[in-house]
Amino acid sequence: MFLRSSLRAEEADSIMLRMSDSAPCKHVVIIGVGLIGGSVAAAVKRRWPECRVTGIGRRAERLQAARQAGLLDDWAQSVGDATFDQGAVVVVCLPVDLIPASVIEIAEVTSDDVLITDGGSVKKSIQDGVDLSPLAASRFVGA
């Protein structure tokens, strides 16, 4: 059953606290640290402060500001410059038309145990683009 819209923030926090105290993974990589990516980083850090969060984006100033705000532990300006730990979860928070190519790029440079998902608002066009690469399709779980 879905949570009712009347559920207060405190009740939602209480539900989250009853969930496992340990992070489901040790490393989250966020591609695109804007409104959605920054919100994902903040939620991860709030719930699992021990989880390492890496941001990847174009603007060093924005990434450094996110690090100074405590949202990121480290950052890089390209997928090729980033480190992806074993079992990392990658969340692609880019404009919808850029997500498939980013997923394919990530799949090509990471190990088989890295899970890739997205924060896109539509699914068909993203999945169709990802499906062009069997490797990327095998590791992508659309959110």
Side-chain angles (χ1 to χ4, degrees):
M1 178 175 161
F2 292 99
L3 296 175
R4 287 189 217 123
S5 60
S6 63
L7 183 66
R8 296 187 330 239
E10 297 84 31
E11 291 170 324
D13 285 345
S14 175
I15 291 168
M16 290 297 289
L17 288 174
R18 289 191 301 260
M19 295 172 66
S20 172
D21 288 332
S22 61
C25 68
K26 294 180 181 177
H27 189 203
V28 173
V29 180
I30 299 170
I31 313 293
V33 187
L35 290 174
I36 295 172
S39 295
V40 171
V44 170
K45 281 304 199 182
R46 180 173 159 213
R47 179 68 181 99
W48 300 290
E50 75 281 5
C51 185
R52 187 171 136 229
V53 178
T54 299
I56 300 176
R58 294 177 300 170
R59 296 185 51 204
E61 310 83 39
R62 179 177 282 179
L63 295 163
Q64 187 59 35
R67 184 173 185 179
Q68 289 172 342
L71 301 177
L72 303 177
D73 295 297
D74 50 44
W75 56 270
Q77 288 186 273
S78 71
V79 169
D81 292 336
T83 301
F84 297 84
D85 291 353
Q86 184 176 12
V89 172
V90 181
V91 185
V92 182
C93 299
L94 297 174
V96 170
D97 61 323
L98 300 178
I99 292 173
S102 182
V103 170
I104 292 168
E105 178 185 16
I106 295 160
E108 290 174 350
V109 299
T110 57
S111 61
D112 290 343
D113 62 355
V114 170
L115 175 73
I116 308 166
T117 189
D118 72 301
S121 60
V122 298
K123 294 299 146 221
K124 183 168 179 7
S125 63
I126 293 172
Q127 192 66 57
D128 288 348
V130 170
D131 285 345
L132 296 174
S133 165
L135 175 64
S138 71
R139 306 229 315 270
F140 178 72
V141 177

